[in-house]
Amino acid sequence: MVNDKSLKGHVAMFAANVMWGLNAPIGKSVLREFSPLSVTTFRMVGAAIAFWILSIFCPKENVESKDLLKLFFAALFGVVFNQGCFIFGLSLTSPIDASIVTTTTPIITMIVAAMYLHEPITNKKILGIFIGAMGALTLILSSQAASDGQSGSIVGDLFCLIAQLSFAVYLTVFRDLITKYSPVTISKWLFIYASVCFIPFSYHDVAAIDFTAIPLDMVLQISYVVLCATFLAYILTMFGQRLLRPTLVSMYNYVQPIVASIVAVAIGMDTFGWKKGVAIALVFLGVYVVTQSKSKVQLESEGKLKD
């Protein structure tokens, strides 16, 4: 039974992954004009500024000194490695390959959660992840013919995989920290740490850009990457993390290929057929099955080891 808090968590994660789904084609377009280091710096510094401005209008929270160190490592896994590796990977491989790699996130998250949080790997979790993955892969592969023809790259795919692994660690290992402070407080520290880590490596790339010559359409695309796919998406993800279990949060990655497919149909690059309808139904069925799996606390209260 989905309660009111869980429903809010589901809505937040759905909205965040819609934004990330749109970020793949938009980000790829931005990468044709700017280096991966520059684009990642835009995201980190832009989001850091946005979060610190927003924090001015929010209730003040004092972060404990020990948690500031934890936030640094959370920034490494949740932002630096995740965004940095994904952008580098996307610049080397095709959007199709990058989308396929993202389907591994729920599996990786389930394994990390089992190892670190001792969350049970239940039959329902495995079934739900499998059903959702089949739906996502069906969508991705059916859209392959409509891609721009760019070939994949093993190195690029590996970077995308590292990005998914780092995000799985972030979702799982730092969950207690995320629930301790507000999303705005967490985010402003995550992105200021991430910016400090990245600027020394990207300074020369960013300094070489003639910002006055950037066309308006590119400014709008960069704004989307920074404000929607980073600023808003991270707020929504943290909100979802507070209300949902890590494996369930990661299941919403399967929404991203749905968004990509809808965009392709909307702009005339693809058509909507029964296969896509079945694939989308499988994704949401997979998410539903995972929501029905029981947590460690529930199983312990029932005296069971598996559901």
Side-chain angles (χ1 to χ4, degrees):
M1 193 88 177
V2 179
N3 57 36
D4 184 54
K5 285 186 176 181
S6 293
L7 180 59
K8 291 178 180 177
H10 286 294
V11 171
M13 290 311 306
F14 180 80
N17 280 276
V18 166
M19 293 179 188
W20 279 328
L22 290 172
N23 188 52
I26 294 174
K28 190 68 177 178
S29 175
V30 174
L31 283 168
R32 293 191 182 102
E33 301 295 330
F34 303 100
S35 71
L37 280 172
S38 298
V39 174
T40 306
T41 303
F42 292 159
R43 294 187 73 178
M44 294 180 182
V45 176
I49 293 171
F51 279 120
W52 278 87
I53 291 175
L54 180 60
S55 69
I56 295 173
F57 304 97
C58 297
K60 305 298 181 184
E61 279 188 304
N62 292 320
V63 180
E64 297 179 21
S65 299
K66 63 178 182 179
D67 289 336
L68 286 174
L69 180 60
K70 292 180 182 178
L71 281 169
F72 173 77
F73 288 102
L76 289 181
F77 286 99
V79 184
V80 177
F81 297 152
N82 174 243
Q83 288 192 15
C85 289
F86 183 77
I87 288 293
F88 273 106
L90 188 59
S91 70
L92 296 172
T93 192
S94 69
I96 295 293
D97 278 19
S99 297
I100 290 174
V101 173
T102 63
T103 64
T104 64
T105 305
I107 300 170
I108 296 172
T109 303
M110 180 176 67
I111 294 171
V112 174
M115 294 172 62
Y116 186 78
L117 299 177
H118 305 293
E119 279 288 334
I121 298 179
T122 64
N123 293 330
K124 285 183 179 178
K125 279 183 184 177
I126 295 172
L127 178 62
I129 289 173
F130 177 77
I131 292 172
M134 290 302 98
L137 288 171
T138 299
L139 271 176
I140 293 165
L141 296 175
S142 68
S143 299
Q144 191 164 10
S147 69
D148 59 8
Q150 181 183 350
S151 60
S153 158
I154 293 177
V155 175
D157 293 346
L158 182 59
F159 270 111
C160 290
L161 183 61
I162 293 172
Q164 304 315 310
L165 174 60
S166 67
F167 198 62
V169 171
Y170 165 73
L171 289 176
T172 305
V173 175
F174 299 100
R175 187 173 187 272
D176 290 343
L177 187 63
I178 301 304
T179 57
K180 186 174 181 179
Y181 302 102
S182 72
V184 174
T185 297
I186 293 291
S187 298
K188 73 177 186 179
W189 284 106
L190 288 185
F191 281 94
I192 196 66
Y193 278 141
S195 298
V196 169
C197 289
F198 233 83
I199 287 177
F201 299 98
S202 63
Y203 173 76
H204 291 292
D205 284 39
V206 175
I209 297 172
D210 182 2
F211 288 94
T212 61
I214 301 176
L216 178 60
D217 65 323
M218 188 54 60
V219 170
L220 294 175
Q221 291 181 63
I222 294 171
S223 298
Y224 177 86
V225 170
V226 173
L227 297 178
C228 294
T230 309
F231 175 64
L232 290 177
Y234 267 80
I235 288 180
L236 291 169
T237 298
M238 288 181 189
F239 187 73
Q241 277 181 281
R242 296 165 72 91
L243 304 174
L244 303 174
R245 283 173 283 155
T247 303
L248 186 52
V249 169
S250 66
M251 279 293 291
Y252 275 93
N253 267 43
Y254 294 153
V255 170
Q256 296 180 36
I258 293 177
V259 174
S261 183
I262 291 173
V263 170
V265 171
I267 63 178
M269 291 179 62
D270 203 350
T271 57
F272 188 87
W274 68 268
K275 288 183 180 180
K276 282 187 170 56
V278 171
I280 290 172
L282 286 173
V283 169
F284 286 105
L285 176 60
V287 172
Y288 173 76
V289 171
V290 173
T291 66
Q292 300 307 300
S293 68
K294 295 178 181 179
S295 67
K296 176 186 175 184
V297 174
Q298 289 174 313
L299 293 178
E300 287 177 345
S301 67
E302 296 176 3
K304 298 177 181 179
L305 296 176
K306 58 183 179 180
D307 65 349

